[in-house]
Amino acid sequence: MQETSTIPSTTRVPRNRGRIVGPKPPLKPKHIWALRTRLQLANRTRDLALFNLAVDSKLRVCDLFRLRVSDVHLGDAVRLRATVCQQKTGRPVPFEITEPTREALADWLTSRSLRAGDWLFPSRSRRSQHLTTRHYGRLVDQWVALIGLDPAAYGTHSLRRTKVALVYKRTGNIRACQLLLGHTKLESTVRYLGIEVDDALILSEQTEI
């Protein structure tokens, strides 16, 4: 009887195995305040500044970590507004810096004595480099776990979506959301926010003529 040899196949394990695939939901206002409180109590100065700025700026991770101190700080104070040229589209996108974020950034800059040309969030292990996307992902996992949320259900885009999702919910102004996200096409904003036909009908029903 002829023997047949079998060659073991190597099965590649997906990077997202065990994680929820698809758009990650934004954080709710109660989550924002709970997380700010936990980070403040833990004296995590950098994390608080990073978290607040991520929510305010609505920037992609690649743009968030390319920020220099001079992008958000002028003279002896943190700016009220800033504008960043997006790496993906090359187009400028403005964002506001709210008071809680300005306070957190001021504390962070004071604690590290960072100069105007320094990365706003420098790496602690790689000299002259900024934080990495992978490190940020781990931080987001830690943050949401702090307030009892499932890290698998949220991601870095949850923070990018958070504020603009509230803007859309309160105003229904998709064009404003497009400008805040820096999208070149309105269709991209519709997909990004997960706007469905039912959402449009609800807005239409609330508009009286």
Side-chain angles (χ1 to χ4, degrees), residues 80-136:
L80 298 178
R81 292 181 179 180
T83 300
V84 173
C85 187
Q86 299 177 106
Q87 188 175 21
K88 183 176 181 179
T89 65
R91 298 178 60 179
V93 59
F95 59 90
E96 75 289 355
I97 304 178
T98 59
E99 185 175 353
T101 303
R102 293 197 302 272
E103 292 177 354
L105 283 171
D107 290 343
W108 165 239
L109 294 174
T110 300
S111 68
R112 285 296 301 267
S113 300
L114 297 173
R115 297 171 296 179
D118 292 339
W119 296 115
L120 183 57
F121 298 107
S123 171
R124 291 175 175 172
S125 59
R126 301 186 306 162
R127 189 174 181 180
S128 75
Q129 297 294 319
H130 53 64
L131 289 180
T132 64
T133 301
R134 179 171 293 185
H135 190 173
Y136 183 47

Side-chain angles (χ1 to χ4, degrees), residues 65-206:
F65 286 155
R66 287 174 63 246
L67 289 173
R68 303 276 184 177
V69 172
S70 58
D71 290 322
V72 301
H73 192 270
L74 179 64
D76 59 353
V78 177
R79 300 173 186 264
L80 298 178
R81 292 181 179 180
T83 300
V84 173
C85 187
Q86 299 177 106
Q87 188 175 21
K88 183 176 181 179
T89 65
R91 298 178 60 179
V93 59
F95 59 90
E96 75 289 355
I97 304 178
T98 59
E99 185 175 353
T101 303
R102 293 197 302 272
E103 292 177 354
L105 283 171
D107 290 343
W108 165 239
L109 294 174
T110 300
S111 68
R112 285 296 301 267
S113 300
L114 297 173
R115 297 171 296 179
D118 292 339
W119 296 115
L120 183 57
F121 298 107
S123 171
R124 291 175 175 172
S125 59
R126 301 186 306 162
R127 189 174 181 180
S128 75
Q129 297 294 319
H130 53 64
L131 289 180
T132 64
T133 301
R134 179 171 293 185
H135 190 173
Y136 183 47
R138 290 196 295 266
L139 285 175
V140 173
D141 285 348
Q142 293 174 16
W143 294 343
V144 296
L146 278 176
I147 54 174
L149 297 177
D150 181 5
Y154 295 85
T156 58
H157 274 275
S158 295
L159 274 63
R160 174 163 154 80
R161 282 190 177 96
T162 291
K163 201 165 189 178
V164 78
L166 288 174
V167 170
Y168 173 71
K169 183 177 180 180
R170 292 173 181 175
T171 68
N173 192 330
I174 302 177
R175 172 59 176 163
C177 296
Q178 178 192 7
L179 293 173
L180 293 171
L181 289 169
H183 286 159
T184 55
K185 296 181 180 179
L186 195 62
E187 292 82 358
S188 299
T189 307
V190 171
R191 290 194 300 269
Y192 193 78
L193 293 178
I195 298 171
E196 303 291 348
V197 174
D198 288 344
D199 297 323
L201 289 175
I202 291 172
L203 290 173
S204 183
E205 290 169 353
Q206 293 173 347

